[in-house]
Amino acid sequence: MGELTPGDQAQRAVLIEAFAAGPMQGNGAAVVELSQAARSEWMQALAGSLQQSETAFLWRNSDGQWCLRWFTPTCEVPLCGHATLASTLALQRWGLMKPGQELVLASRSGGLRVCVDPSTAGAASLTLPSEPLVAEPCPSYLAAILNAEAQGYWTSTLGYRVVLIGEDQSLETLAGVSERLQGPDRQGLVVMQALPADRPQRLLGQPCDYKLRFFAPGLGIDEDPVTGSAHALVAPWWAQQLGKTTLHGWQPSRRSGGMRCEVLQGLQVQLSGTGHVLWEGQIEAGAPGHDPGGWDVCRVSAA
C-alpha cells in the first residue's frame, strides 16, 4: 500500500454482495463513505476501477441527511436497488444506523426509505418507486436472441424494456444476449418468466413466483446478477396477474439471488433481502474534491 500524499484522503469502503442467499452469490456493490459531496469525475473514475455493477457513494448534507448516488463502471444511474440495500447494511456495520431504525436516503429518484431488519442478521429492506409498464410491439429481432416468441413487451419511463417469455423456454440457458441487443433495449432489458409450479425455487423460506434476467450493455453492464430496480418495476405487474401483493422474485444469473417484493400504494415497492460482506477497508485514490452543487441533483422529500 502506497503512502498518502498531501491532500489525499482515505475513504472508508466495504463491498457487500446484495440480495444473496449466501457468500459468493448475489450482486456485489462497493459502498464508499464521503465526508462531503464529491466531484462526479472522481466518483466515476473510482467506480471504473472497482468494476462492480454499481458503486454507491454516501455522505451527509448540511441538514444531516444521508445522500446517495450510484455509478456503474461507465456512467451514473438514477436508481439502483442492490447498492441501496448494500448502503443500508454498510451504515449499520459502521455504527451509523441501528437495527429497526428507518432512514430516508436522498437520491436522484427522490427519498428512499430503508430499514435494517432487527430480527435477521444481514437483512434489510428498501422502498423503491415503480413505473407503469406500457405495452408495445416487440422488436422482431428479439425472437432470434431469446429463442422464443415474446408473450408481451413493454417500455417504461425508467428506461428499461421488459419482455415476457413462456414457461416452456429456458431462461437460465440464454446466452449471448447483451452483444446482440439493439437500440433502446441496450439501456436495460428485463427478460421475465413465470416460475413453473413443478420446479419451485425457494427464497427466505417461501416459493418464488417469477424469475427474470437483466441485460444492460448500454450502461456498461452486460448482465446484472440481481437487480432491485428491475424487480420493483415488474412486481406490480406480477401482483396483478397473480392476485397478491407480496411476491418473491428470483434472478437465475451466474451469481443468482432474489428478494421479497411487497407492492405498496402509490407505485411503491418494498424490497427485502440479505447481504454478505466480502471485504472492508479504505480507498486511497487521491482527494475526491468537493462539488458544492452535488447536492442539487438529489431531492430530499420522501417517496
Side-chain angles (χ1 to χ4, degrees):
M1 181 184 300
E3 294 184 359
L4 291 177
T5 59
D8 286 354
Q9 292 177 304
Q11 314 295 322
R12 182 159 56 173
V14 63
L15 195 148
I16 294 177
E17 296 168 317
F19 294 125
M24 308 297 182
Q25 300 178 38
N27 201 352
V31 183
V32 181
E33 183 191 12
L34 302 171
S35 60
Q36 59 186 354
R39 292 182 296 109
S40 297
E41 296 82 2
W42 183 89
M43 291 188 285
Q44 185 63 77
L46 182 56
S49 292
L50 291 172
Q51 285 294 304
Q52 298 300 308
S53 295
E54 269 86 11
T55 296
F57 295 90
L58 283 165
W59 74 96
R60 289 186 188 269
N61 68 2
S62 57
D63 296 327
Q65 183 178 30
W66 285 105
C67 308
L68 177 62
R69 290 173 72 176
W70 312 273
F71 290 78
T72 79
T74 62
C75 66
E76 184 175 7
V77 293
L79 186 64
C80 179
H82 86 279
T84 303
L85 182 81
S87 297
T88 305
L89 295 174
L91 288 173
Q92 183 207 16
R93 186 174 182 87
W94 294 332
L96 301 171
M97 187 174 180
K98 298 178 181 179
Q101 178 185 2
E102 185 179 88
L103 290 178
V104 176
L105 307 180
S107 80
R108 286 193 164 187
S109 291
L112 306 179
R113 294 190 179 276
V114 299
C115 183
V116 175
D117 190 333
S119 61
T120 304
S125 64
L126 59 144
T127 300
L128 295 187
S130 187
E131 300 286 348
L133 294 180
V134 180
E136 290 194 3
C138 183
S140 57
Y141 82 95
L142 276 179
I145 295 177
L146 302 176
N147 298 315
E149 291 295 331
Q151 296 189 346
Y153 179 84
W154 299 265
T155 63
S156 70
T157 56
L158 181 61
Y160 297 167
R161 270 57 179 171
V162 179
V163 61
L164 175 69
I165 61 174
E167 294 182 24
D168 57 336
Q169 305 299 318
S170 177
L171 181 62
E172 288 80 356
T173 59
L174 284 181
V177 175
S178 281
E179 56 262 38
R180 292 189 285 168
L181 290 180
Q182 301 174 18
D185 292 332
R186 293 180 54 81
Q187 296 304 113
L189 180 68
V190 180
V191 184
M192 65 180 186
Q193 177 181 56
L195 222 156
D198 61 343
R199 284 175 284 166
Q201 171 69 53
R202 298 186 71 82
L203 175 71
L204 303 174
Q206 298 295 322
C208 292
D209 300 284
Y210 68 89
K211 53 186 176 179
L212 64 81
R213 289 175 67 183
F214 181 77
F215 308 93
L219 301 178
I221 307 169
D222 284 342
E223 180 173 3
D224 198 44
V226 192
T227 316
S229 57
H231 286 268
L233 178 64
V234 304
W237 186 88
W238 284 107
Q240 185 177 38
Q241 302 302 306
L242 301 175
K244 55 201 303 188
T245 58
T246 300
L247 311 100
H248 290 76
W250 186 250
Q251 202 154 333
S253 64
R254 185 177 59 85
R255 295 176 55 88
S256 58
M259 63 205 73
R260 177 182 182 270
C261 308
E262 182 180 357
V263 179
L264 309 175
Q265 293 183 344
L267 278 178
Q268 301 283 309
V269 179
Q270 184 183 69
L271 307 178
S272 302
T274 55
H276 298 264
V277 174
L278 184 64
W279 57 251
E280 184 173 17
Q282 58 185 30
I283 300 293
E284 299 178 2
H290 175 52
D291 179 7
W295 173 239
D296 294 340
V297 302
C298 298
R299 301 197 302 274
V300 208
S301 59

